[in-house]
């Protein structure tokens, strides 16, 4: 186990609820995330699993109200995010930790040139003059594959893929220790997505940045991540090294996700969707939240929430069935 | 070979813009046999949605023929087209904006049945609505709910039920699962397949997701900047992609598997402007094998093996 000091991101027992007038949305229900230097974690799950809320909490960006962080600690590069004052937070955001949002169209300011927008964060966080900041901004643009002369142009003059490159340039301008990328390529076309992913991989490797990659696309995870955490209804149900989770899948939900994807190598194989729907986060079932949709569920499953147990090599799963040493899911039998 | 249910010949759809003529669909021809699925793939701005809309006459074509069961619907008058719509339906991408928020599920599914007088008797209509809901897997208790009370997957099911209410022969599915989560996406894809088997439906399936189209379609047409650049049976296309764009597109799919993956072909640059494109290969600027030939003239589709068409000077 790594020491706490070496961890770039260390989230412990995080619980976040959105408290509304009539109901409480239990978005995140007790999760732990530990991420070492230079590692890339894929946070996978469907809409409403709590991926984005978790990520926002690392920058303390969860809208409050209605968001309430009920418990937990969040350490980013040695800073206790929960205890920082607003001024201190401003210094950490954009410097030690930065974020790429899903939609590049809305994360840029339409009335400033892209050069100014990149320079802004450099000027705020580094001890440089305006001119130096702007020069650095131009360097960053070149780095993400945009000619420096375009630094005087406005966001509307760029295409979607280019805008996302500008956002990446802003995020990496101050060489952050932690980068949170929330579905950074979802809004892009496949060939552009391939370009942007390739670029991100290069930059992350060069700078040794740690990354939390939020995505619903297991293909992207396979391509870029070292570790995977699968979220369902606000909890991590399976996590571990990439190979372990993909080739040695343990949790029935992860299996369901894989079975839902069309196999690119075989056209005839039928899709096996997960029956039913995600549970209502204002009214989670007792016990394992996946039990109502789970083909392996037993009565035991509704009796309390299963713990995330290490099955060896850091590969953890939260499923009661593994109390029986002979239990395996279908996907593993095939392999 | 059986006669195609739909044949499109030299279809063009141009839009006038302040900067010139936008060639959204440029001289596309295609055919679909009854009971089959044609997948149309491409990136944003390639004209794939426009072609779907033109085929249903939601947009009027600039020129070309659309033969549906032998009738050229491009020339039909409005009232004649109204009748024809009974046979041709559409399922839209966004189940959030394609359903009227002020109507209940019952009302939405019932509307086409009443409008077209398919069933006259009130009780029978009610029965039919419930029957349709069962076909698409919607619980009976949802009959009086409004779209905002339903999740994306269920909303898409309402959209499908509405399309089926007319008992059409042919449905254009425009990115029907793109807005849905993977587990729900698989449910809807299975439903569409089941309906096709049971009712002998013919689909045009428009998508940007190649792994979905590979699973779903019999034939695949790849579009780039308004033109069809390659068309082949799905298996053939995935086994022997020939156009450089198709190759790049296939290699760009992120595969959820670990291990050796083939070298990725990264395209330079981005899709160029469809406004007044010059007479040369439209993919040329991003292509690694382009030379002077490609600059001289726009290539035409030619058959390289049975049923496999490609438009490229180099392959």
């Amino acid at each position: 186990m790594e020491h706490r000091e070496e961890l770039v991101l260390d989230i412990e027992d995080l619980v976040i609820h959105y408290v509304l007038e009539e109901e409480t949305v239990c978005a995140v229900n007790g999760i732990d995330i530990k991420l070492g230097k230079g590692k890339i974690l894929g946070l996978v799950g469907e809409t409403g699993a709590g991926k984005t809320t978790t990520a926002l909490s690392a920058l303390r960006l969860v809208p409050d109200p209605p968001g309430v962080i009920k418990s937990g600690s969040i350490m980013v590069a040695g800073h206790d995010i929960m205890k920082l004052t607003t001024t201190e937070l401003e210094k950490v955001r954009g410097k030690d930790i930065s974020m790429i949002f899903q939609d590049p169209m809305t994360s840029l300011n339409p009335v400033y040139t892209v050069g100014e927008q990149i320079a802004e964060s450099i000027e705020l966080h580094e001890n440089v003059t305006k001119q130096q900041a702007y020069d650095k901004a131009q360097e960053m643009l070149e780095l993400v594959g945009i000619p420096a002369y375009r630094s005087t142009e406005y966001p509307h003059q760029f295409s979607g893929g280019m805008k996302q490159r500008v956002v990446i340039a802003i995020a990496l301008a101050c060489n952050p220790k932690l980068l949170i990328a929330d579905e950074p390529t979802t809004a892009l076309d496949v060939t552009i997505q391939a370009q942007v992913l390739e670029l991100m991989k290069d930059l992350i490797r060069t700078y040794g940045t740690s990354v939390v990659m939020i995505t619903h696309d297991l293909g992207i995870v396979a391509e870029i991540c070292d570790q995977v955490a699968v979220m369902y209804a606000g909890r991590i149900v399976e996590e571990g090294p990439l190979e372990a989770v993909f080739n040695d899948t343990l949790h029935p939900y992860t299996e369901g996700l894989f079975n839902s994807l069309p196999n690119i190598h075989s056209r005839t194989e039928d899709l096996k969707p997960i029956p039913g729907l995600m549970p209502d986060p204002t009214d989670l079932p007792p016990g394992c939240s996946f039990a109502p949709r789970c083909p392996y569920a037993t009565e035991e499953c509704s009796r309390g929430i299963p713990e995330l147990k290490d099955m060896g090599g850091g590969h953890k799963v939260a499923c009661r069935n593994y109390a029986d040493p002979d239990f395996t899911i279908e996907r593993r039998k095939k392999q | 070979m059986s006669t195609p249910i739909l044949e499109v010949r030299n279809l063009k759809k141009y839009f006038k813009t302040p900067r010139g003529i936008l060639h959204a669909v440029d001289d596309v021809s295609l055919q679909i046999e009854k009971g089959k699925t044609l997948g149309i793939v491409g990136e944003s701005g390639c004209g794939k949605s426009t072609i779907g809309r033109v085929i249903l006459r939601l947009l009027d074509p600039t020129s070309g023929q659309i033969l549906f069961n032998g009738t050229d619907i491009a020339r039909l008058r409005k009232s004649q087209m109204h009748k024809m719509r009974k046979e041709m339906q559409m399922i839209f991408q966004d189940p959030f904006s394609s359903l009227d928020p002020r109507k209940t599920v019952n009302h939405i599914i019932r509307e086409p049945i009443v409008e077209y007088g398919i069933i006259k008797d009130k009780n029978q209509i009610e029965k039919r609505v419930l029957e349709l809901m069962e076909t698409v897997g919607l619980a009976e208790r949802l009959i009086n709910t409004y779209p905002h009370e339903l999740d994306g997957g269920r909303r898409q099911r309402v959209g499908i039920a509405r399309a089926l209410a007319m008992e059409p022969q042919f449905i254009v599915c425009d990115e029907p699962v793109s807005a849905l989560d993977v587990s729900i996406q698989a449910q809807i894809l299975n439903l569409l397949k089941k309906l096709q088997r049971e009712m002998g439906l013919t689909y045009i399936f428009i998508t940007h997701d190649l792994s979905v189209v590979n699973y779903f379609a019999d034939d695949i047409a790849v579009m780039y900047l308004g033109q069809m650049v390659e068309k082949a049976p799905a298996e053939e296309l995935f086994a022997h992609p020939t156009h450089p764009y198709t190759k790049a597109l296939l290699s760009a799919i992120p595969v959820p598997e670990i291990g050796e993956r083939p070298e990725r072909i990264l395209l330079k640059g981005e899709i160029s402007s469809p406004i007044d494109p010059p007479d040369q290969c439209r993919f040329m600027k991003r292509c690694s094998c382009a030379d002077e030939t490609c600059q001289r003239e726009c290539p035409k589709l030619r058959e390289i093996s049975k049923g496999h068409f490609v438009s490229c000077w180099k392959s």
Side-chain angles (χ1 to χ4, degrees):
Chain A
M1 204 67 227
E2 285 167 279
H3 295 294
R4 268 199 97 165
E5 302 84 65
E6 286 168 16
L7 293 173
V8 174
L9 175 68
D10 186 0
I11 294 180
E12 267 183 8
D13 189 35
L14 185 68
V15 178
I16 303 172
H17 289 176
Y18 291 103
V19 181
L20 307 169
E21 251 171 54
E22 303 120 46
E23 56 196 14
T24 301
V25 180
C26 307
V28 177
N29 304 306
I31 66 166
D32 297 277
I33 292 177
K34 301 200 186 313
L35 188 63
K37 186 172 158 40
K39 291 272 189 263
I40 306 177
L41 169 75
L43 200 55
V44 189
E46 297 179 275
T47 318
K51 315 182 291 282
T52 301
T53 305
T54 308
L56 289 176
S57 72
L59 287 104
R60 223 163 90 195
L61 281 176
V62 177
D64 172 19
V68 181
I69 298 182
K70 289 271 185 186
S71 75
S73 75
I74 302 163
M75 301 285 289
V76 177
H79 301 279
D80 188 342
I81 295 292
M82 305 289 290
K83 297 210 175 94
L84 296 182
T85 62
T86 320
T87 358
E88 286 168 331
L89 253 182
E90 269 169 20
K91 282 189 189 136
V92 175
R93 287 182 189 150
K95 168 83 183 128
D96 291 322
I97 172 169
S98 54
M99 181 144 182
I100 299 175
F101 294 92
Q102 174 171 356
D103 188 357
M105 326 298 157
T106 51
S107 40
L108 294 173
N109 190 332
V111 297
Y112 289 101
T113 66
V114 299
E116 284 165 343
Q117 294 188 52
I118 304 172
E120 186 189 3
S121 87
I122 302 171
E123 228 183 300
L124 275 174
H125 295 295
E126 319 256 325
N127 193 12
V128 290
T129 64
K130 227 178 166 113
Q131 187 55 48
Q132 284 168 326
Y134 201 84
D135 292 343
K136 176 83 195 292
Q138 290 193 321
E139 261 170 55
M140 288 306 298
L141 267 186
E142 292 272 355
L143 198 66
V144 295
I146 299 173
Y149 72 86
R150 297 199 66 178
S151 66
T152 54
E153 292 181 14
Y154 291 88
H156 76 269
Q157 291 168 288
F158 290 82
S159 65
M162 299 278 251
K163 272 186 229 176
Q164 198 61 301
R165 284 160 190 267
V166 172
V167 174
I168 292 172
I170 296 175
L172 294 179
C174 293
N175 194 5
K177 297 194 177 77
L178 176 66
L179 174 68
I180 293 177
D182 188 1
E183 306 257 7
T185 57
T186 308
L188 308 175
D189 279 317
V190 266
T191 59
I192 309 299
Q193 165 173 295
Q195 290 174 357
V196 170
L197 281 181
E198 211 60 37
L199 169 75
M200 285 184 69
K201 258 199 280 191
D202 273 355
L203 293 178
I204 291 163
R205 226 176 281 138
T206 321
Y207 287 112
T209 318
S210 307
V211 182
V212 176
M213 182 87 169
I214 299 175
T215 178
H216 65 275
D217 189 334
L218 288 163
I220 293 178
V221 173
E223 200 146 298
I224 197 167
C225 299
D226 312 305
Q227 288 165 256
V228 193
V230 182
M231 280 189 84
Y232 188 78
R235 287 195 186 88
I236 292 178
V237 294
E238 177 165 4
E239 72 168 294
L242 179 72
E243 283 83 0
V245 175
F246 272 61
N247 294 341
D248 237 349
T249 312
L250 290 174
H251 199 279
Y253 175 62
T254 319
E255 177 186 47
L257 280 183
F258 278 114
N259 286 345
S260 303
L261 296 171
N263 185 341
I264 200 100
H265 303 304
S266 133
R267 308 187 50 226
T268 42
E269 215 171 297
D270 264 344
L271 299 182
K272 290 183 231 63
I274 307 172
L277 302 168
M278 193 95 144
D280 181 354
T282 61
D283 180 24
L284 290 176
C288 172
S289 336
F290 187 60
R293 299 173 77 185
C294 179
Y296 309 101
T298 60
E299 263 178 51
E300 195 60 23
C301 294
S302 52
R303 276 191 214 124
I305 292 149
E307 261 178 68
L308 200 56
K309 278 206 190 95
D310 199 329
M311 305 293 284
H315 189 181
K316 297 177 193 167
V317 66
C319 178
R320 299 216 153 193
N321 282 315
Y322 286 97
D324 172 7
D326 295 328
F327 177 76
T328 42
I329 55 174
E330 289 295 319
R331 184 174 159 88
R332 294 191 85 191
K333 282 184 199 154
K334 261 190 256 165
Q335 287 158 350
Chain B
M1 200 173 135
S2 58
T3 44
I5 183 168
L6 180 88
E7 188 174 355
V8 171
R9 288 189 194 147
N10 307 96
L11 190 69
K12 288 184 187 173
K13 177 65 193 172
Y14 295 170
F15 293 99
K16 272 194 192 127
T17 71
R19 285 189 288 157
I21 306 286
L22 189 151
H23 296 225
V25 176
D26 216 351
D27 207 4
V28 172
S29 301
L30 49 86
Q31 297 143 25
I32 313 168
E33 283 171 50
K34 193 168 167 36
K36 299 277 183 193
T37 302
L38 171 73
I40 301 184
V41 209
E43 298 180 274
S44 15
C46 73
K48 57 187 190 304
S49 287
T50 309
I51 203 170
R53 279 158 199 256
V54 173
I55 287 172
L56 294 184
R57 285 280 305 273
L58 296 176
L59 292 168
D60 284 330
T62 306
S63 71
Q65 287 180 306
I66 306 162
L67 300 168
F68 184 73
N69 284 331
T71 320
D72 185 2
I73 62 164
R75 286 177 216 298
L76 291 185
R77 272 179 287 122
K78 226 178 167 187
S79 57
Q80 293 171 308
M81 194 57 222
H82 184 75
K83 278 191 208 124
M84 200 52 112
R85 290 251 159 78
K86 204 173 145 317
E87 305 296 338
M88 321 172 77
Q89 284 293 305
M90 181 144 185
I91 297 166
F92 296 89
Q93 169 171 7
D94 186 359
F96 296 82
S97 57
S98 57
L99 301 177
D100 188 331
R102 291 180 301 178
K103 288 181 181 155
T104 61
V105 170
N106 184 6
H107 195 149
I108 291 169
I109 302 176
R110 167 192 298 260
E111 199 173 17
I113 303 177
V114 177
E115 165 74 19
Y116 279 82
I118 296 169
I119 305 170
K120 300 274 187 324
D121 180 65
K122 257 197 160 173
N123 295 328
Q124 291 292 318
I125 293 179
E126 184 82 27
K127 226 178 105 192
R128 175 73 180 142
V129 170
L130 287 171
E131 195 182 285
L132 282 164
M133 286 178 68
E134 200 195 319
T135 315
V136 299
L138 281 169
E140 205 179 307
R141 68 187 157 82
L142 297 171
I143 191 158
N144 288 319
T145 50
Y146 288 89
H148 76 266
E149 298 175 75
L150 304 174
D151 59 90
R154 287 213 181 100
R155 258 183 265 208
Q156 199 56 293
R157 286 176 198 266
V158 175
I160 295 171
R162 175 177 62 182
L164 292 178
M166 315 275 265
E167 296 167 35
Q169 301 178 32
F170 169 70
I171 300 181
V172 173
C173 313
D174 188 0
E175 304 257 16
V177 295
S178 318
L180 308 174
D181 275 320
V182 272
S183 70
I184 309 300
Q185 175 176 320
Q187 291 176 3
I188 299 293
L189 287 175
N190 278 356
L191 171 66
L192 288 171
K193 263 215 160 155
K194 185 189 98 182
L195 295 173
Q196 180 169 46
R197 262 197 313 269
E198 287 170 3
M199 305 181 178
L201 294 170
T202 309
Y203 290 135
I204 280 191
F205 196 91
I206 298 169
T207 181
H208 68 279
D209 188 333
L210 284 148
S211 42
V212 167
V213 84
N214 179 35
Y215 168 74
F216 206 81
D218 300 294
D219 288 304
I220 299 177
V222 181
M223 289 193 63
Y224 190 80
L225 268 182
Q227 294 176 323
M228 194 192 288
V229 294
E230 187 159 5
K231 185 185 170 225
E235 256 162 274
E236 165 74 10
L237 189 87
F238 275 77
H240 307 287
T242 306
H243 196 281
Y245 177 64
T246 314
K247 285 184 190 165
L249 207 56
L250 291 184
S251 84
I253 312 173
V255 184
E257 280 166 19
I258 299 170
E260 289 294 302
R261 41 187 77 229
E263 184 75 16
R264 173 165 286 172
I265 309 161
L266 275 186
L267 289 178
K268 304 166 280 185
E270 299 182 24
I271 207 160
S272 50
S273 165
I275 293 171
D276 296 321
D279 183 20
Q280 58 189 33
C281 173
R282 295 192 185 171
F283 183 62
M284 192 185 79
K285 283 181 186 138
R286 299 174 76 187
C287 185
S288 53
C289 26
D291 63 15
E292 306 90 58
T293 338
C294 310
Q295 205 164 357
R296 233 171 284 146
E297 201 185 337
C298 191
K300 301 261 177 314
L301 274 182
R302 58 195 171 84
E303 192 163 11
I304 52 163
S305 63
K306 200 182 170 300
H308 190 161
F309 296 84
V310 65
S311 77
C312 175
W313 292 119
K314 296 281 135 196
S315 44

